[in-house]
Amino acid sequence: MTIPPTLPAAEPGAQPPAKKGFGTGCKVALGCFSVVLLIVLVVAVIFVNALSWVTNGRETASAPYTSPTLTDSQQSELGKIRADHKKAYATQADWDVVFTPELFNTFVASEIKKKKADGSFKKGEAEGVDIRFDGQDIVIRTTYEDQEKGGYYNVELRGDPHFENGKFLGRVDSIKLADKEAPWLARKFVDMAIDAARKGELKTEKGPHANENPFEGIKLLRREGDKIHIIILGGKVPQPEDE
């Protein structure tokens, strides 16, 4: 299955040994996690844009996203994360990171705010991302602007999405637009995209990574206890924003 050209690009990679790290750039957070987990949702929106679920799911405003206040120890951890990301990028090493939802949500909110302030925010990037754990489920919210008609798609996913070696191995139990569950036909398109991702057959259509699996560089992305673990293969670890 080929991803339509309007789909936001993920940031994959390829190569060397493993090191600990996290990113300083919005490209890291959105490219390596949010877009990765939510790409099937965006595919669904694009593939079924004639359905009333999508039409009625387009809202005039983005959902609100707030970031929790970090403790001193969490702020210190975030500082180490940023330093380790620079090291992984410079040495072409695998990028290996474990983080809590609180750290992720705070990091993404601050990076989106910074990019909008300095004018580097690009159309097609997520307007906001939020993850939380609910029992055994992962609940992910994100917002994308409709670049053609205006308005916003506020999407919510529930399940246990995870990746290993570029393939989707998790489950997606629920998908909502504007707080409304996907109807049967829309869900069929979602399942088609998920099946293609399981086989590693999703391909980007245009851009610098045309005809490539956007998840090829993702060695691991999964929940482990109360944290999320990500390993991106070295060589294409996203560049830090201040590089």
Side-chain angles (χ1 to χ4, degrees):
M1 176 179 290
T2 300
I3 301 174
T6 52
L7 186 64
E11 295 281 353
Q15 265 171 258
K19 290 186 186 257
K20 297 273 184 179
F22 196 82
T24 60
C26 197
K27 288 185 289 185
V28 174
L30 303 180
C32 296
F33 186 70
S34 65
V35 173
V36 168
L37 293 184
L38 296 162
I39 196 166
V40 292
L41 307 183
V42 181
V43 170
V45 169
I46 294 169
F47 269 72
V48 297
N49 59 8
L51 298 179
S52 61
W53 177 64
V54 174
T55 302
N56 296 332
R58 189 170 58 248
E59 301 182 80
T60 56
S62 169
Y65 293 89
T66 58
S67 57
T69 302
L70 299 184
T71 64
D72 289 343
S73 62
Q74 287 174 321
Q75 290 284 6
S76 177
E77 183 178 354
L78 200 55
K80 181 180 183 299
I81 274 166
R82 289 181 169 127
D84 287 346
H85 170 238
K86 290 183 179 180
K87 185 177 181 180
Y89 176 77
T91 59
Q92 302 274 294
D94 283 6
W95 177 59
D96 189 337
V97 60
V98 177
F99 58 86
T100 64
E102 290 79 13
L103 271 182
F104 176 80
N105 293 339
T106 299
F107 173 77
V108 172
S110 65
E111 291 301 306
I112 292 176
K113 183 178 180 180
K114 181 175 71 175
K115 293 193 77 171
K116 286 191 172 184
D118 65 21
S120 60
F121 184 85
K122 298 177 181 177
K123 287 188 175 182
E125 294 184 333
E127 298 283 334
V129 180
D130 176 271
I131 65 172
R132 65 181 174 86
F133 298 150
D134 184 10
Q136 297 302 308
D137 290 341
I138 299 174
V139 179
I140 309 165
R141 294 189 305 117
T142 191
T143 297
Y144 287 98
E145 183 178 5
D146 187 323
Q147 297 181 49
E148 295 182 357
K149 299 180 180 179
Y152 298 88
Y153 290 113
N154 295 308
V155 191
E156 180 183 293
L157 174 150
R158 176 183 287 268
D160 182 24
H162 64 272
F163 288 78
E164 290 184 26
N165 299 317
K167 295 182 180 180
F168 182 87
L169 301 179
R171 57 181 170 83
V172 176
D173 299 329
S174 170
I175 299 175
K176 293 181 179 180
L177 276 178
D179 205 32
K180 294 182 179 179
E181 191 71 38
W184 179 84
L185 183 57
R187 180 65 207 218
K188 281 297 180 182
F189 280 104
V190 173
D191 290 342
M192 286 170 58
I194 292 173
D195 185 59
R198 290 188 195 282
K199 298 174 182 177
E201 295 176 353
L202 279 175
K203 306 291 182 181
T204 53
E205 188 171 280
K206 292 184 178 181
H209 303 291
N211 298 317
E212 293 181 6
N213 175 3
F215 309 135
E216 187 176 356
I218 301 171
K219 188 174 182 180
L220 180 71
L221 191 160
R222 71 185 178 199
R223 176 179 177 177
E224 295 180 355
D226 62 351
K227 296 183 178 181
I228 295 290
H229 189 186
I230 296 176
I231 302 175
I232 304 297
L233 292 174
K236 288 189 179 179
V237 172
Q239 180 178 343
E241 290 293 337
D242 55 357
E243 284 287 322

